[in-house]
């Protein structure tokens, strides 16, 4: 599989980034709601961590569908830029956080030299995005000030969320899209078509 990008792949990646940038904004509100519910129990720091994997999902979806170096990173950055342009309360610094998350997601695919897109690699991508973003937020967001036990617990929750909501859910969404036929011109669609032909042989 060549690494040269086609125009339609760039367009799809850009569309995914914009769409999920909008979705990410909505999840800021959902996270705040969860945080408010957990606050009386002293569990407010877990409010966003439970759903943090959602903020990595476009990386996994773009990489899984397009299968080119840089797809995960770039899609995440586009989503971050979209959030900023739409007026996120996080401000322009969110773009840097998106770049960190995208780099974390891209790492898993880089380790396979962008040749393995099985579920276990997608899950690993969600987890590496979680690990690297968590390390970044320890200092950027001041989470280092939390109690050690809370830091360990929130780290575990973010990694699990990354694995499930980014890796597993990202694959499921992509597969459902591919089954409709709209991705037939992309790497994932071609793979599924090949599997169907082999199954019919």
């Amino acid at each position: 599989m060549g690494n040269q990008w086609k125009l339609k792949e760039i367009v799809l990646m850009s569309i995914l980034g914009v769409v999920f940038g909008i979705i990410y904004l909505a999840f800021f509100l959902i996270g705040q709601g969860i945080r408010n519910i957990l606050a009386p129990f002293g569990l407010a720091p877990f409010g966003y961590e439970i759903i943090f994997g959602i903020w990595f999902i476009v990386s996994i979806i773009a990489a899984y569908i397009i299968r080119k170096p840089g797809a995960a990173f770039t899609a995440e950055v586009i989503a971050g830029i979209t959030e900023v342009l739409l007026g996120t309360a996080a401000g322009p610094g969110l773009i840097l956080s998106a770049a960190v998350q995208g780099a974390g997601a891209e790492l898993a695919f880089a380790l396979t030299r962008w040749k393995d897109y099985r579920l276990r690699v997608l899950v690993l991508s969600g987890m590496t995005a979680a690990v690297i973003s968590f390390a970044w937020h320890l200092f950027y967001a001041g989470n280092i000030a939390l109690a050690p036990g809370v830091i360990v617990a929130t780290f575990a929750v973010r990694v699990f969320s990354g694995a499930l909501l980014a890796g597993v859910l990202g694959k499921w969404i992509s597969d459902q899209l591919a089954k409709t036929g709209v991705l037939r011109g992309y790497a994932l669609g071609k793979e599924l078509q090949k599997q169907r032909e082999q199954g019919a042989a």
Side-chain angles (χ1 to χ4, degrees):
M1 186 183 301
N3 289 334
Q4 185 174 357
W5 283 74
K6 298 177 181 178
L7 178 59
K8 65 181 180 181
E9 293 170 336
I10 296 172
V11 170
L12 177 62
M13 180 184 63
S14 300
I15 291 173
L16 288 171
V18 171
V19 169
F20 278 92
I22 296 170
I23 292 173
Y24 287 179
L25 274 178
F27 269 87
F28 271 114
L29 299 177
I30 294 173
Q32 187 60 52
I34 297 174
R35 184 181 176 88
N36 291 340
I37 292 172
L38 295 178
F41 305 99
L43 300 174
F46 293 90
Y48 285 102
E49 300 299 338
I50 293 171
I51 60 169
F52 217 98
I54 285 294
W55 284 292
F56 314 140
I57 195 170
V58 74
S59 295
I60 279 77
I61 290 176
Y64 182 47
I65 292 174
I66 299 171
R67 306 189 179 189
K68 296 285 177 67
F73 174 79
T74 309
E76 193 71 37
V77 171
I78 292 172
I81 292 172
T82 300
E83 290 179 83
V84 171
L85 291 177
L86 291 176
T88 177
L94 181 66
I95 297 174
L96 185 55
S97 292
V100 170
Q101 292 170 187
E106 190 77 46
L107 176 60
F109 301 110
L111 291 173
T112 72
R113 297 188 178 184
W114 296 277
K115 293 180 180 179
D116 191 343
Y117 291 88
R118 288 174 291 179
L119 176 60
R120 65 186 185 189
V121 178
L122 304 185
V123 168
L124 177 62
S125 179
M127 294 173 71
T128 53
V131 170
I132 291 178
S133 68
F134 190 88
W136 164 254
H137 286 124
L138 278 178
F139 301 96
Y140 180 74
N143 292 346
I144 193 69
L146 296 171
V150 173
I151 291 176
V152 171
T154 52
F155 171 75
V157 171
R158 184 179 299 198
V159 171
F160 181 77
S161 181
L164 185 63
L165 296 184
V168 177
L169 181 59
K171 182 181 187 303
W172 183 83
I173 291 174
S174 302
D175 287 340
Q176 299 313 302
L177 282 174
K179 288 177 182 178
T180 68
V182 299
L183 301 177
R184 65 172 61 92
Y186 301 90
L188 173 59
K190 292 175 182 178
E191 178 185 74
L192 294 182
Q193 179 61 33
K194 184 177 180 180
Q195 290 175 355
R196 285 193 290 267
E197 291 174 353
Q198 291 175 342

